[in-house]
mmCIF file of all heavy atoms in Angstrom:
data_model
loop_
_atom_site.group_PDB
_atom_site.id
_atom_site.type_symbol
_atom_site.label_atom_id
_atom_site.label_comp_id
_atom_site.label_asym_id
_atom_site.label_seq_id
_atom_site.Cartn_x
_atom_site.Cartn_y
_atom_site.Cartn_z
ATOM 1 N N HIS A 1303 -9.271 32.675 -3.740
ATOM 2 C CA HIS A 1303 -8.229 31.658 -3.636
ATOM 3 C C HIS A 1303 -7.507 31.490 -4.966
ATOM 4 O O HIS A 1303 -6.270 31.378 -5.011
ATOM 5 C CB HIS A 1303 -8.838 30.315 -3.215
ATOM 6 C CG HIS A 1303 -9.173 30.235 -1.763
ATOM 7 N ND1 HIS A 1303 -10.464 30.289 -1.292
ATOM 8 C CD2 HIS A 1303 -8.394 30.101 -0.664
ATOM 9 C CE1 HIS A 1303 -10.448 30.182 0.025
ATOM 10 N NE2 HIS A 1303 -9.207 30.070 0.432
ATOM 11 N N ASP A 1304 -8.279 31.455 -6.052
ATOM 12 C CA ASP A 1304 -7.664 31.331 -7.383
ATOM 13 C C ASP A 1304 -6.692 32.479 -7.638
ATOM 14 O O ASP A 1304 -5.588 32.273 -8.171
ATOM 15 C CB ASP A 1304 -8.743 31.346 -8.468
ATOM 16 C CG ASP A 1304 -9.566 30.062 -8.524
ATOM 17 O OD1 ASP A 1304 -9.230 29.092 -7.808
ATOM 18 O OD2 ASP A 1304 -10.559 30.052 -9.280
ATOM 19 N N ALA A 1305 -7.106 33.684 -7.257
ATOM 20 C CA ALA A 1305 -6.275 34.860 -7.512
ATOM 21 C C ALA A 1305 -4.969 34.809 -6.722
ATOM 22 O O ALA A 1305 -3.903 35.179 -7.241
ATOM 23 C CB ALA A 1305 -7.051 36.131 -7.170
ATOM 24 N N LEU A 1306 -5.025 34.355 -5.475
ATOM 25 C CA LEU A 1306 -3.814 34.272 -4.657
ATOM 26 C C LEU A 1306 -2.821 33.273 -5.243
ATOM 27 O O LEU A 1306 -1.620 33.544 -5.304
ATOM 28 C CB LEU A 1306 -4.179 33.890 -3.224
ATOM 29 C CG LEU A 1306 -4.859 34.985 -2.399
ATOM 30 C CD1 LEU A 1306 -5.480 34.404 -1.138
ATOM 31 C CD2 LEU A 1306 -3.857 36.090 -2.041
ATOM 32 N N LEU A 1307 -3.318 32.126 -5.690
ATOM 33 C CA LEU A 1307 -2.422 31.138 -6.289
ATOM 34 C C LEU A 1307 -1.854 31.637 -7.619
ATOM 35 O O LEU A 1307 -0.666 31.469 -7.912
ATOM 36 C CB LEU A 1307 -3.167 29.818 -6.506
ATOM 37 C CG LEU A 1307 -3.416 28.993 -5.238
ATOM 38 C CD1 LEU A 1307 -4.405 27.868 -5.518
ATOM 39 C CD2 LEU A 1307 -2.111 28.428 -4.691
ATOM 40 N N ARG A 1308 -2.703 32.263 -8.421
ATOM 41 C CA ARG A 1308 -2.244 32.778 -9.718
ATOM 42 C C ARG A 1308 -1.204 33.884 -9.524
ATOM 43 O O ARG A 1308 -0.201 33.939 -10.244
ATOM 44 C CB ARG A 1308 -3.443 33.310 -10.510
ATOM 45 C CG ARG A 1308 -3.103 33.790 -11.915
ATOM 46 C CD ARG A 1308 -4.364 34.033 -12.721
ATOM 47 N NE ARG A 1308 -5.278 34.951 -12.060
ATOM 48 C CZ ARG A 1308 -6.459 34.597 -11.528
ATOM 49 N NH1 ARG A 1308 -6.871 33.347 -11.596
ATOM 50 N NH2 ARG A 1308 -7.231 35.491 -10.940
ATOM 51 N N HIS A 1309 -1.417 34.748 -8.541
ATOM 52 C CA HIS A 1309 -0.485 35.850 -8.283
ATOM 53 C C HIS A 1309 0.863 35.312 -7.820
ATOM 54 O O HIS A 1309 1.928 35.817 -8.231
ATOM 55 C CB HIS A 1309 -1.081 36.791 -7.238
ATOM 56 C CG HIS A 1309 -0.433 38.133 -7.182
ATOM 57 N ND1 HIS A 1309 0.694 38.385 -6.436
ATOM 58 C CD2 HIS A 1309 -0.753 39.312 -7.791
ATOM 59 C CE1 HIS A 1309 1.032 39.653 -6.566
ATOM 60 N NE2 HIS A 1309 0.182 40.239 -7.386
ATOM 61 N N ALA A 1310 0.838 34.287 -6.976
ATOM 62 C CA ALA A 1310 2.083 33.749 -6.423
ATOM 63 C C ALA A 1310 2.859 32.914 -7.434
ATOM 64 O O ALA A 1310 4.102 32.936 -7.447
ATOM 65 C CB ALA A 1310 1.776 32.903 -5.190
ATOM 66 N N LEU A 1311 2.144 32.179 -8.274
ATOM 67 C CA LEU A 1311 2.798 31.191 -9.131
ATOM 68 C C LEU A 1311 2.749 31.526 -10.622
ATOM 69 O O LEU A 1311 3.298 30.789 -11.436
ATOM 70 C CB LEU A 1311 2.154 29.817 -8.909
ATOM 71 C CG LEU A 1311 2.215 29.286 -7.476
ATOM 72 C CD1 LEU A 1311 1.434 27.982 -7.362
ATOM 73 C CD2 LEU A 1311 3.652 29.095 -7.019
ATOM 74 N N GLY A 1312 2.125 32.648 -10.962
ATOM 75 C CA GLY A 1312 1.933 32.989 -12.367
ATOM 76 C C GLY A 1312 3.222 33.166 -13.139
ATOM 77 O O GLY A 1312 3.260 32.919 -14.352
ATOM 78 N N ASP A 1313 4.299 33.587 -12.469
ATOM 79 C CA ASP A 1313 5.580 33.763 -13.153
ATOM 80 C C ASP A 1313 6.380 32.461 -13.211
ATOM 81 O O ASP A 1313 7.429 32.413 -13.856
ATOM 82 C CB ASP A 1313 6.420 34.832 -12.446
ATOM 83 C CG ASP A 1313 5.829 36.226 -12.601
ATOM 84 O OD1 ASP A 1313 5.075 36.440 -13.561
ATOM 85 O OD2 ASP A 1313 6.125 37.088 -11.746
ATOM 86 N N ILE A 1314 5.882 31.430 -12.511
ATOM 87 C CA ILE A 1314 6.637 30.177 -12.416
ATOM 88 C C ILE A 1314 5.991 29.062 -13.231
ATOM 89 O O ILE A 1314 6.650 28.399 -14.024
ATOM 90 C CB ILE A 1314 6.749 29.737 -10.938
ATOM 91 C CG1 ILE A 1314 7.462 30.809 -10.109
ATOM 92 C CG2 ILE A 1314 7.466 28.392 -10.833
ATOM 93 C CD1 ILE A 1314 7.443 30.541 -8.614
ATOM 94 N N LEU A 1315 4.692 28.861 -13.026
ATOM 95 C CA LEU A 1315 4.008 27.715 -13.621
ATOM 96 C C LEU A 1315 3.305 28.069 -14.924
ATOM 97 O O LEU A 1315 2.844 29.199 -15.110
ATOM 98 C CB LEU A 1315 2.970 27.153 -12.651
ATOM 99 C CG LEU A 1315 3.465 26.549 -11.342
ATOM 100 C CD1 LEU A 1315 2.280 26.005 -10.543
ATOM 101 C CD2 LEU A 1315 4.476 25.455 -11.595
ATOM 102 N N ARG A 1316 3.195 27.088 -15.794
ATOM 103 C CA ARG A 1316 2.349 27.237 -16.963
ATOM 104 C C ARG A 1316 0.891 27.346 -16.511
ATOM 105 O O ARG A 1316 0.491 26.748 -15.499
ATOM 106 C CB ARG A 1316 2.531 26.032 -17.875
ATOM 107 C CG ARG A 1316 3.874 25.980 -18.575
ATOM 108 C CD ARG A 1316 4.141 24.616 -19.198
ATOM 109 N NE ARG A 1316 2.957 24.043 -19.828
ATOM 110 C CZ ARG A 1316 2.899 22.790 -20.275
ATOM 111 N NH1 ARG A 1316 3.947 21.980 -20.123
ATOM 112 N NH2 ARG A 1316 1.798 22.329 -20.835
ATOM 113 N N PRO A 1317 0.066 28.119 -17.233
ATOM 114 C CA PRO A 1317 -1.315 28.377 -16.783
ATOM 115 C C PRO A 1317 -2.131 27.119 -16.522
ATOM 116 O O PRO A 1317 -2.915 27.080 -15.564
ATOM 117 C CB PRO A 1317 -1.902 29.199 -17.936
ATOM 118 C CG PRO A 1317 -0.729 29.884 -18.552
ATOM 119 C CD PRO A 1317 0.409 28.900 -18.438
ATOM 120 N N ASP A 1318 -1.980 26.086 -17.345
ATOM 121 C CA ASP A 1318 -2.780 24.883 -17.147
ATOM 122 C C ASP A 1318 -2.435 24.174 -15.852
ATOM 123 O O ASP A 1318 -3.291 23.519 -15.238
ATOM 124 C CB ASP A 1318 -2.635 23.931 -18.338
ATOM 125 C CG ASP A 1318 -1.196 23.676 -18.748
ATOM 126 O OD1 ASP A 1318 -0.349 24.560 -18.522
ATOM 127 O OD2 ASP A 1318 -0.922 22.602 -19.314
ATOM 128 N N PHE A 1319 -1.200 24.329 -15.385
ATOM 129 C CA PHE A 1319 -0.811 23.693 -14.130
ATOM 130 C C PHE A 1319 -1.220 24.543 -12.925
ATOM 131 O O PHE A 1319 -1.477 24.008 -11.844
ATOM 132 C CB PHE A 1319 0.682 23.388 -14.129
ATOM 133 C CG PHE A 1319 1.034 22.282 -15.083
ATOM 134 C CD1 PHE A 1319 1.703 22.551 -16.259
ATOM 135 C CD2 PHE A 1319 0.649 20.974 -14.825
ATOM 136 C CE1 PHE A 1319 2.007 21.534 -17.157
ATOM 137 C CE2 PHE A 1319 0.944 19.944 -15.706
ATOM 138 C CZ PHE A 1319 1.617 20.228 -16.882
ATOM 139 N N ILE A 1320 -1.302 25.851 -13.089
ATOM 140 C CA ILE A 1320 -1.882 26.678 -12.028
ATOM 141 C C ILE A 1320 -3.336 26.275 -11.808
ATOM 142 O O ILE A 1320 -3.817 26.183 -10.671
ATOM 143 C CB ILE A 1320 -1.785 28.176 -12.384
ATOM 144 C CG1 ILE A 1320 -0.327 28.635 -12.402
ATOM 145 C CG2 ILE A 1320 -2.588 29.020 -11.377
ATOM 146 C CD1 ILE A 1320 -0.134 30.060 -12.837
ATOM 147 N N THR A 1321 -4.044 26.003 -12.895
ATOM 148 C CA THR A 1321 -5.443 25.594 -12.794
ATOM 149 C C THR A 1321 -5.599 24.329 -11.961
ATOM 150 O O THR A 1321 -6.548 24.201 -11.174
ATOM 151 C CB THR A 1321 -6.040 25.381 -14.196
ATOM 152 O OG1 THR A 1321 -5.979 26.612 -14.922
ATOM 153 C CG2 THR A 1321 -7.493 24.917 -14.115
ATOM 154 N N ILE A 1322 -4.682 23.392 -12.081
ATOM 155 C CA ILE A 1322 -4.756 22.162 -11.297
ATOM 156 C C ILE A 1322 -4.633 22.473 -9.810
ATOM 157 O O ILE A 1322 -5.385 21.934 -8.981
ATOM 158 C CB ILE A 1322 -3.660 21.179 -11.745
ATOM 159 C CG1 ILE A 1322 -3.926 20.701 -13.171
ATOM 160 C CG2 ILE A 1322 -3.595 19.979 -10.787
ATOM 161 C CD1 ILE A 1322 -2.798 19.871 -13.762
ATOM 162 N N ALA A 1323 -3.701 23.338 -9.438
ATOM 163 C CA ALA A 1323 -3.554 23.725 -8.029
ATOM 164 C C ALA A 1323 -4.803 24.456 -7.535
ATOM 165 O O ALA A 1323 -5.248 24.249 -6.403
ATOM 166 C CB ALA A 1323 -2.311 24.598 -7.860
ATOM 167 N N GLN A 1324 -5.368 25.307 -8.374
ATOM 168 C CA GLN A 1324 -6.585 26.030 -7.993
ATOM 169 C C GLN A 1324 -7.731 25.059 -7.745
ATOM 170 O O GLN A 1324 -8.497 25.223 -6.779
ATOM 171 C CB GLN A 1324 -6.958 27.026 -9.091
ATOM 172 C CG GLN A 1324 -5.995 28.203 -9.194
ATOM 173 C CD GLN A 1324 -6.216 29.037 -10.436
ATOM 174 O OE1 GLN A 1324 -6.687 28.540 -11.468
ATOM 175 N NE2 GLN A 1324 -5.893 30.324 -10.370
ATOM 176 N N ARG A 1325 -7.856 24.064 -8.577
ATOM 177 C CA ARG A 1325 -8.915 23.070 -8.385
ATOM 178 C C ARG A 1325 -8.706 22.302 -7.087
ATOM 179 O O ARG A 1325 -9.659 21.947 -6.394
ATOM 180 C CB ARG A 1325 -8.950 22.113 -9.575
ATOM 181 C CG ARG A 1325 -9.507 22.739 -10.848
ATOM 182 C CD ARG A 1325 -9.370 21.795 -12.028
ATOM 183 N NE ARG A 1325 -9.879 22.381 -13.267
ATOM 184 C CZ ARG A 1325 -9.638 21.903 -14.475
ATOM 185 N NH1 ARG A 1325 -8.894 20.800 -14.607
ATOM 186 N NH2 ARG A 1325 -10.132 22.488 -15.546
ATOM 187 N N GLY A 1326 -7.438 22.020 -6.770
ATOM 188 C CA GLY A 1326 -7.155 21.347 -5.504
ATOM 189 C C GLY A 1326 -7.602 22.165 -4.319
ATOM 190 O O GLY A 1326 -8.231 21.653 -3.384
ATOM 191 N N SER A 1327 -7.319 23.459 -4.338
ATOM 192 C CA SER A 1327 -7.750 24.343 -3.254
ATOM 193 C C SER A 1327 -9.265 24.358 -3.125
ATOM 194 O O SER A 1327 -9.809 24.350 -2.009
ATOM 195 C CB SER A 1327 -7.229 25.763 -3.511
ATOM 196 O OG SER A 1327 -7.796 26.680 -2.593
ATOM 197 N N ARG A 1328 -9.948 24.364 -4.251
ATOM 198 C CA ARG A 1328 -11.411 24.441 -4.214
ATOM 199 C C ARG A 1328 -12.054 23.201 -3.593
ATOM 200 O O ARG A 1328 -13.185 23.278 -3.117
ATOM 201 C CB ARG A 1328 -11.965 24.679 -5.614
ATOM 202 C CG ARG A 1328 -11.750 26.112 -6.109
ATOM 203 C CD ARG A 1328 -12.445 26.339 -7.434
ATOM 204 N NE ARG A 1328 -12.296 27.723 -7.900
ATOM 205 C CZ ARG A 1328 -13.267 28.434 -8.460
ATOM 206 N NH1 ARG A 1328 -14.469 27.891 -8.610
ATOM 207 N NH2 ARG A 1328 -13.059 29.672 -8.867
ATOM 208 N N THR A 1329 -11.351 22.069 -3.600
ATOM 209 C CA THR A 1329 -11.958 20.873 -3.019
ATOM 210 C C THR A 1329 -12.203 21.026 -1.522
ATOM 211 O O THR A 1329 -13.088 20.374 -0.973
ATOM 212 C CB THR A 1329 -11.089 19.614 -3.251
ATOM 213 O OG1 THR A 1329 -9.817 19.775 -2.617
ATOM 214 C CG2 THR A 1329 -10.906 19.337 -4.728
ATOM 215 N N ILE A 1330 -11.453 21.880 -0.852
ATOM 216 C CA ILE A 1330 -11.690 22.092 0.580
ATOM 217 C C ILE A 1330 -13.070 22.688 0.796
ATOM 218 O O ILE A 1330 -13.832 22.241 1.660
ATOM 219 C CB ILE A 1330 -10.608 23.003 1.187
ATOM 220 C CG1 ILE A 1330 -9.251 22.310 1.170
ATOM 221 C CG2 ILE A 1330 -10.981 23.407 2.608
ATOM 222 C CD1 ILE A 1330 -9.145 21.131 2.106
ATOM 223 N N ASP A 1331 -13.432 23.701 0.014
ATOM 224 C CA ASP A 1331 -14.760 24.294 0.144
ATOM 225 C C ASP A 1331 -15.842 23.376 -0.396
ATOM 226 O O ASP A 1331 -16.958 23.337 0.116
ATOM 227 C CB ASP A 1331 -14.818 25.640 -0.582
ATOM 228 C CG ASP A 1331 -14.109 26.743 0.177
ATOM 229 O OD1 ASP A 1331 -13.960 26.616 1.398
ATOM 230 O OD2 ASP A 1331 -13.688 27.727 -0.456
ATOM 231 N N GLU A 1332 -15.517 22.612 -1.424
ATOM 232 C CA GLU A 1332 -16.515 21.720 -2.018
ATOM 233 C C GLU A 1332 -16.857 20.558 -1.099
ATOM 234 O O GLU A 1332 -17.973 20.052 -1.114
ATOM 235 C CB GLU A 1332 -16.000 21.182 -3.365
ATOM 236 C CG GLU A 1332 -15.959 22.250 -4.450
ATOM 237 C CD GLU A 1332 -15.168 21.793 -5.666
ATOM 238 O OE1 GLU A 1332 -14.521 20.719 -5.585
ATOM 239 O OE2 GLU A 1332 -15.194 22.502 -6.683
#
Side-chain angles (χ1 to χ4, degrees):
H1303 283 106
D1304 287 353
L1306 287 166
L1307 285 168
R1308 184 169 55 250
H1309 197 274
L1311 301 175
D1313 291 337
I1314 300 172
L1315 295 182
R1316 289 166 40 190
D1318 49 332
F1319 290 108
I1320 293 176
T1321 299
I1322 293 172
Q1324 290 169 332
R1325 288 174 181 165
S1327 171
R1328 286 186 178 221
T1329 62
I1330 293 292
D1331 285 337
E1332 289 167 351

